[in-house]
Each structure stands twice: as structure tokens, then as C-alpha cells.
């Protein structure tokens, strides 16, 4: 993983990530680990984090951030990385070595592992999607279906898996979904309003979700639309939409995408396939 990409992505969110880590440590009452306090002397100790299965690693930097927050200024600690984010790891491979005061090490281990295993799980399942879709030149995108507070970390994990993050928040670009259409009253009225928006803000990217070929036919000829999302289309209707499109618009396919139907959809040749499957439930073991 390119180091510059890492810093450009993570550094603007450093404070938010630190607050998330603090919240996780407080949730675990890590500073008040009574078991470790009553049983063990606080001597210097070391430990390895070892992978329990093959996968793609992500979130290694979390270990360093956790110890930075948890340890007092006079305590000595060190994290030695054996791999970097985005690398393939094998079962029983040492991912990193940590040296720290024993209390700090034992009190923070679960917080560190919770973050890294979750993010590595996202990276691992994303890579499986990317390996299949990539054979057809199709990019895999995530969605906003992320654990609250974990948005940027989850999207970093998607990048480590080779995926292409969709919008990070509701501000990034216009994405009209079925709820917007129902609220406005008609698809035609939505298109009319979008045309006016594009005139006033030609820089804004506009994506429209369509749920039928009829809506697709109404959207495909409009110059102000950049991307059309085919939501829960059948294989036959995706094929028809792509034939009608003739590469005029970027086409994104979404809704019910799993490893079982991914290749059949990717083989049709859309520009993107987006799925929430890769972010909310994926997990790996360390």
C-alpha cells in the first residue's frame, strides 16, 4: 500500500480515529483492568500478533495509536510491523511484534485486535470481490452501510482490499435514490430539478438510482447525469440497459450482490458494482 495514499487518507481523520479509540478503551474499562492489576507486576513485556487464517491485513497502525493514547509519557513501548496494510497474510504468520509495560499490553490487546480483525475482514472479503470483478475490468465499490463511527476506517480497509470507495458521506455528491423520488412525487420532476442544479453547479457529480428499464430510458439521454445506478435489476435487464447505454453513461449495478452472483453480473461489463456485503459483517481472526 502506497505510504502517501495512507497519510492523505488517514491523517485528515486522525482526531476522529483517536476519539473512536478512546471510546473503545473506555467501553472496555481498559484503564481499570482489575484482573491484571491484582495478579501481575507491571514489568516490561512483549507479544506477537499472529494471523489465524489467510487474508488481507488492514489497520496495523491502530496498535500504535492505541498505545500512544493509553500509555503514560514515561512508559516505553514499541510496535514492530512485519507486514503493511494491503498485504496478503498467511495463517500463523506474525503480523506485528509489540513491546510495552505488561499492564498496558494486556489491558489494550482486545481493543487492538477488535479493530485490526474487523478491518482485515473487510479487506479480505473486498479482495475476493475484486479478484472476480477485476477480470472483467469492473470496479468494486462499497456503500454507506458501515458501523457508525467506523466509516473512514472501513473505507480504508476497502482500499486495502483493492476496492474503490463510494461517497464518504451525504455531502460528497448527489445520489438520488428511490426515497428521494417518492418524496418529490415523480421521476420526471426529479430529472427536471437535477437539470437546474447542474446548470447552477456544473462541477457537482450527479448519480441517479433507477429501479426499472422505463426509468433508465428516461435518464440515459440526459447530459447532466454522470452515473446511473441499476438497483436490484435482473441479469436480463442489466444486459438490456447496457445495450441501450452504449457507454454513454457510467453504469453502477447495486442491490443483492454476493459472491454467488458477482461474476455473472461483472461479465456483463458495467463500470461499477457496489455492495454493502463487504463492510458490515466481515470478520477475520487474529
Amino acid at each position: 500500500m502506497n505510504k502517501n495514499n495512507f497519510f492523505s487518507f488517514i491523517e485528515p481523520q486522525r482526531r476522529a480515529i483517536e476519539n473512536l479509540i478512546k471510546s473503545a478503551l473506555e467501553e472496555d474499562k481498559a484503564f481499570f483492568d482489575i484482573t491484571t492489576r491484582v495478579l501481575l507486576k507491571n514489568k516490561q513485556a512483549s507479544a506477537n500478533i499472529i494471523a489465524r487464517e489467510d487474508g488481507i491485513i488492514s489497520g496495523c497502525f491502530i496498535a500504535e495509536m492505541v498505545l500512544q493514547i493509553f500509555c503514560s509519557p514515561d512508559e516505553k513501548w514499541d510496535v514492530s510491523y512485519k507486514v503493511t496494510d494491503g498485504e496478503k497474510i498467511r495463517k500463523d504468520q506474525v503480523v506485528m511484534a509489540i513491546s510495552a509495560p505488561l499492564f498496558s499490553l494486556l489491558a489494550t490487546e482486545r481493543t487492538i485486535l477488535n479493530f485490526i480483525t474487523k478491518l482485515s475482514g473487510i479487506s479480505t472479503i473486498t479482495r475476493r470481490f475484486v479478484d472476480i470483478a477485476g477480470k472483467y475490468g469492473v470496479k468494486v465499490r462499497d456503500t454507506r452501510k458501515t458501523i457508525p463511527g467506523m466509516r473512514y476506517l472501513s473505507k480504508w480497509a476497502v482500499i486495502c482490499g483493492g476496492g474503490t470507495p463510494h461517497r464518504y458521506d451525504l455531502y460528497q455528491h448527489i445520489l438520488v435514490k428511490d426515497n428521494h423520488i417518492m418524496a418529490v412525487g415523480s421521476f420526471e420532476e426529479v430529472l427536471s430539478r437535477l437539470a437546474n442544479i447542474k446548470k447552477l453547479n456544473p462541477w457537482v457529480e450527479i448519480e441517479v438510482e433507477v429501479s426499472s428499464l422505463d426509468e433508465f430510458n428516461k435518464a440515459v439521454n440526459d447530459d447532466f447525469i454522470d452515473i446511473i445506478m441499476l438497483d436490484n435489476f435482473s441479469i436480463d435487464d442489466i444486459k438490456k440497459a447496457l445495450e441501450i447505454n452504449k457507454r454513454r453513461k457510467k453504469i453502477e449495478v447495486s442491490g443483492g450482490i454476493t459472491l454467488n452472483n458477482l461474476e455473472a453480473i461483472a461479465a456483463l461489463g458495467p463500470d461499477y458494482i457496489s455492495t454493502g456485503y463487504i463492510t458490515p459483517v466481515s470478520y477475520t481472526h487474529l
Side-chain angles (χ1 to χ4, degrees):
M1 184 57 55
N2 186 290
K3 189 175 181 180
N4 292 329
N5 288 346
F6 170 80
F7 283 110
S8 64
F9 192 90
I10 293 297
E11 283 303 318
Q13 299 300 319
R14 177 172 285 275
R15 180 171 294 181
I17 295 170
E18 288 174 347
N19 288 338
L20 181 62
I21 290 171
K22 289 175 184 177
S23 177
L25 290 169
E26 289 169 4
E27 177 184 61
D28 211 25
K29 296 291 188 290
F31 295 97
F32 306 99
D33 177 5
I34 60 172
T35 309
T36 304
R37 284 196 186 279
V38 300
L39 290 180
L40 301 168
K41 293 182 179 179
N42 195 23
K43 59 183 179 180
Q44 201 72 10
S46 60
N48 291 333
I49 292 181
I50 301 171
R52 291 187 181 173
E53 60 185 47
D54 297 350
I56 305 297
I57 192 71
S58 181
C60 292
F61 59 92
I62 291 291
E64 192 170 345
M65 292 181 75
V66 168
L67 290 170
Q68 217 163 29
I69 290 167
F70 188 86
C71 293
S72 62
D74 60 329
E75 289 182 318
K76 294 181 179 179
W77 57 268
D78 181 68
V79 180
S80 176
Y81 300 106
K82 308 303 180 182
V83 295
T84 58
D85 278 19
E87 281 189 28
K88 288 184 178 180
I89 55 173
R90 300 299 180 193
K91 182 180 178 181
D92 298 326
Q93 180 177 352
V94 176
V95 172
M96 67 182 70
I98 300 176
S99 172
L102 185 58
F103 177 78
S104 299
L105 191 60
L106 293 178
T108 63
E109 63 168 333
R110 180 42 55 191
T111 298
I112 292 170
L113 291 174
N114 281 349
F115 277 108
I116 297 176
T117 52
K118 178 62 184 176
L119 297 180
S120 298
I122 292 172
S123 297
T124 300
I125 192 65
T126 299
R127 181 65 59 86
R128 292 179 66 187
F129 273 76
V130 167
D131 286 345
I132 294 170
K135 294 187 295 185
Y136 304 96
V138 179
K139 293 182 178 179
V140 175
R141 295 177 115 179
D142 58 10
T143 69
R144 286 169 42 246
K145 293 177 183 176
T146 54
I147 294 172
M150 289 281 290
R151 176 71 52 79
Y152 273 81
L153 288 178
S154 296
K155 286 184 177 288
W156 172 250
V158 168
I159 291 174
C160 290
T164 304
H166 208 291
R167 59 181 181 161
Y168 298 101
D169 49 51
L170 293 171
Y171 180 74
Q172 192 171 17
H173 70 255
I174 293 174
L175 172 51
V176 177
K177 300 179 74 68
D178 54 354
N179 288 337
H180 299 109
I181 296 167
M182 285 189 288
V184 170
S186 73
F187 192 67
E188 292 78 8
E189 178 61 23
V190 165
L191 294 179
S192 175
R193 295 185 187 184
L194 290 175
N196 291 330
I197 290 169
K198 195 73 167 185
K199 287 177 184 177
L200 295 172
N201 304 284
W203 51 268
V204 70
E205 182 179 79
I206 295 178
E207 181 171 2
V208 175
E209 177 184 282
V210 298
S211 56
S212 68
L213 284 172
D214 180 56
E215 288 182 347
F216 178 82
N217 281 317
K218 291 174 182 176
V220 73
N221 294 312
D222 291 321
D223 293 338
F224 53 85
I225 294 175
D226 302 294
I227 305 173
I228 300 177
M229 179 189 290
L230 311 182
D231 182 45
N232 286 300
F233 271 43
S234 66
I235 292 289
D236 286 343
D237 283 350
I238 294 171
K239 190 181 298 183
K240 288 175 184 176
L242 290 169
E243 289 171 353
I244 294 168
N245 184 51
K246 300 186 189 307
R247 294 289 176 184
R248 284 177 288 174
K249 305 290 185 187
K250 295 286 187 182
I251 301 296
E252 179 171 350
V253 177
S254 188
I257 310 294
T258 68
L259 287 168
N260 293 329
N261 60 12
L262 175 64
E263 184 151 19
I265 294 171
L268 298 176
D271 297 282
Y272 308 105
I273 289 176
S274 59
T275 175
Y277 185 89
I278 59 179
T279 47
V281 297
S282 306
Y283 220 89
T284 193
H285 300 287
L286 290 171

